[in-house]
Amino acid sequence: MEAPRLAHTMSSPTSPCEEVIKNLSLEAIQLCDRDGNKSQDSGIAEMEELPVPHNIKISNITCDSFKISWDMNSKSKDRITHYFIDLNKKENKNSNKFKHKDVPTKLVAKAVPLPMTVRGHWFLSPRTEYTVAVQTASKQVDGDYVVSEWSEIIEFCTADYSKVHLTQLLEKAEVIAGRMLKLSVFYRNQHKEYFDYTREHHGNAMQPSVKDNSGSHGSPISGKLEGIFFSCNTEFNTGKPPQDSPYGRYRFEIAAEKLFNPNTNLYFGDFYCMYTAYHYVILVIAPVGSPGDEFCKQRLPQLNIKDNKFLTCDEEDGVMVYHHAQDVILEVIYTDPVDLSLGTVAEITGHQLMSLSTANAKKDPSCKTCNISVGR
């Protein structure tokens, strides 16, 4: 019996399932593994001389797609009707070893001219290492398949979110940002030792460091952008920063205009939650023409500093006025060093709420508010 289909090419981009292999029909079938072992009822005929793919090339890699091509001998080439593609996350390549061998795990594509595009957000995630191997196959009249040996195993890594994907995240964040409240300072909480070390070893200047892996898995700033994290949210009833913090009992406060002004650019970096009701938005402030500005310009959507849904600065009666979104927690990354003499350091009176820490926090992949329809 022919196995059921895994997916079909969809004609509309708004269909509930996206195309898996562009312009191809895929099937889920019972296949032999890379070592050539077949289950008793696999429906695959004995090995015959079909050309074995070699010199596999992966190109045009995005966060949820790639192109694949290979070379093969011309002998029996005209008998090929399908390609079997074994795609696995590198870190989980042994995760299925205790599962029943008849669980379909391979992609089956009708033979088409190469290269062909593999696309599908339910099995491809951004910034993830994969292994891939290929067989050629010939479907027989009785539904069985004659297959070649597996090709060599190739490794590759999918890409980060593009600006297009980040713009989709931006639009979802704008929906829940809420009304704007006034602010006057940016602040950064740390332990006393952090500020003592800054004074003693960095000439009083806080230094940018590489952003951790918190937030969306495909965010292009994680592990790459260097900056200093600041907060700017205020308490609704006081208009001042909250007294509680998860990051330490000492707080550096700096007037907003010293970090955010017409000589800086503002970028949208990420939108995520951590299995909670509240959401985080990461923004990047970069002095115009700085290395951080050049990094962001190539990768992130730029925001109008006077008119956006998250953080604004505008001049009113000769004075710079600042506002922030009420209904999201803003994390602001400033990309240049900041001298402690530009602000003040003092101990806060509230609690250190470690449960609110976002250090290497994992995004909730099931949240419909802050996820987009590409790999998580």
Side-chain angles (χ1 to χ4, degrees):
M1 178 181 295
E2 185 167 318
R5 292 200 179 278
L6 174 62
H8 299 280
T9 298
M10 308 303 294
S11 59
S12 170
T14 59
S15 301
C17 293
E18 296 180 355
E19 60 181 359
V20 179
I21 295 187
K22 191 175 184 181
N23 299 324
L24 303 177
S25 173
L26 300 185
E27 304 168 13
I29 65 171
Q30 299 161 345
L31 301 175
C32 61
D33 60 25
R34 289 176 178 174
D35 297 323
N37 302 314
K38 295 193 287 285
S39 62
Q40 186 173 358
D41 301 318
S42 68
I44 298 180
E46 291 300 319
M47 192 76 71
E48 291 187 12
E49 290 187 5
L50 285 175
V52 180
H54 63 275
N55 193 25
I56 295 177
K57 301 181 183 67
I58 304 293
S59 61
N60 295 82
I61 300 172
T62 72
C63 68
D64 66 343
S65 70
F66 62 92
K67 284 188 176 182
I68 185 169
S69 64
W70 56 83
D71 299 329
M72 51 189 168
N73 296 328
S74 59
K75 182 180 179 183
S76 301
K77 194 173 181 180
D78 56 348
R79 294 176 50 229
I80 298 172
T81 61
H82 290 78
Y83 302 135
F84 294 171
I85 302 173
D86 185 11
L87 181 68
N88 293 286
K89 285 186 178 180
K90 184 179 177 183
E91 64 269 28
N92 295 325
K93 58 185 176 182
N94 295 320
S95 63
N96 290 328
K97 62 183 178 181
F98 297 118
K99 291 184 179 179
H100 195 281
K101 284 182 179 292
D102 282 347
V103 175
T105 59
K106 310 299 186 291
L107 304 178
V108 182
K110 288 184 178 178
V112 296
L114 300 175
M116 64 182 181
T117 299
V118 180
R119 176 180 292 114
H121 73 263
W122 57 87
F123 64 81
L124 280 173
S125 297
R127 198 186 284 201
T128 303
E129 292 185 330
Y130 288 91
T131 62
V132 63
V134 185
Q135 284 178 312
T136 58
S138 176
K139 191 171 185 177
Q140 309 300 290
V141 292
D142 60 0
D144 284 350
Y145 286 83
V146 174
V147 296
S148 73
E149 294 180 358
W150 282 107
S151 70
E152 73 271 27
I153 298 172
I154 298 297
E155 298 180 1
F156 72 99
C157 185
T158 47
D160 298 332
Y161 284 157
S162 67
K163 277 188 179 181
V164 172
H165 299 120
L166 286 172
T167 299
Q168 294 175 19
L169 270 183
L170 166 62
E171 291 169 350
K172 292 178 78 73
E174 289 174 337
V175 172
I176 70 161
R179 68 170 180 162
M180 304 290 279
L181 302 177
K182 278 191 174 183
L183 71 108
S184 59
V185 299
F186 290 102
Y187 55 96
R188 174 173 172 81
N189 281 74
Q190 282 287 344
H191 299 286
K192 182 177 183 294
E193 292 77 13
Y194 168 82
F195 295 110
D196 289 343
Y197 188 88
T198 297
R199 295 184 185 99
E200 294 173 13
H201 297 278
H202 293 297
N204 216 44
M206 293 185 292
Q207 299 298 310
S209 59
V210 177
K211 183 194 172 297
D212 65 13
N213 288 315
S214 60
S216 299
H217 190 54
S219 174
I221 62 177
S222 294
K224 296 180 180 179
L225 177 67
E226 293 188 355
I228 305 170
F229 262 109
F230 286 91
S231 299
C232 65
N233 289 79
T234 59
E235 292 182 324
F236 178 77
N237 56 339
T238 66
K240 296 180 179 180
Q243 280 300 306
D244 300 325
S245 169
Y247 301 112
R249 295 193 55 81
Y250 283 78
R251 172 173 295 169
F252 172 73
E253 285 191 10
I254 184 170
E257 61 265 21
K258 292 184 178 179
L259 297 186
F260 188 34
N261 53 62
N263 294 318
T264 57
N265 284 326
L266 181 68
Y267 298 91
F268 173 83
D270 201 4
F271 176 46
Y272 70 100
C273 71
M274 303 178 296
Y275 304 89
T276 57
Y278 44 90
H279 282 78
Y280 295 83
V281 169
I282 298 180
L283 303 175
V284 182
I285 298 176
V288 174
S290 66
D293 188 35
E294 293 304 315
F295 177 95
C296 294
K297 194 172 295 183
Q298 299 174 34
R299 297 168 177 83
L300 306 181
Q302 185 171 348
L303 303 176
N304 184 334
I305 65 172
K306 295 182 179 181
D307 183 20
N308 67 80
K309 299 289 187 180
F310 311 109
L311 180 66
T312 61
C313 73
D314 203 358
E315 188 173 329
E316 295 180 10
D317 300 323
V319 178
M320 298 302 297
V321 178
Y322 295 84
H323 291 85
H324 70 88
Q326 173 185 349
D327 294 334
V328 293
I329 300 175
L330 296 179
E331 298 181 299
V332 179
I333 301 176
Y334 187 77
T335 62
D336 274 11
V338 177
D339 199 292
L340 293 177
S341 65
L342 297 176
T344 60
V345 177
E347 188 173 3
I348 61 174
T349 59
H351 301 286
Q352 188 172 336
L353 304 176
M354 295 306 295
S355 62
L356 294 179
S357 173
T358 61
N360 289 308
K362 299 304 180 184
K363 180 175 182 175
D364 178 1
S366 65
C367 178
K368 292 180 172 58
T369 300
C370 62
N371 282 293
I372 56 178
S373 60
V374 293
R376 307 295 183 246

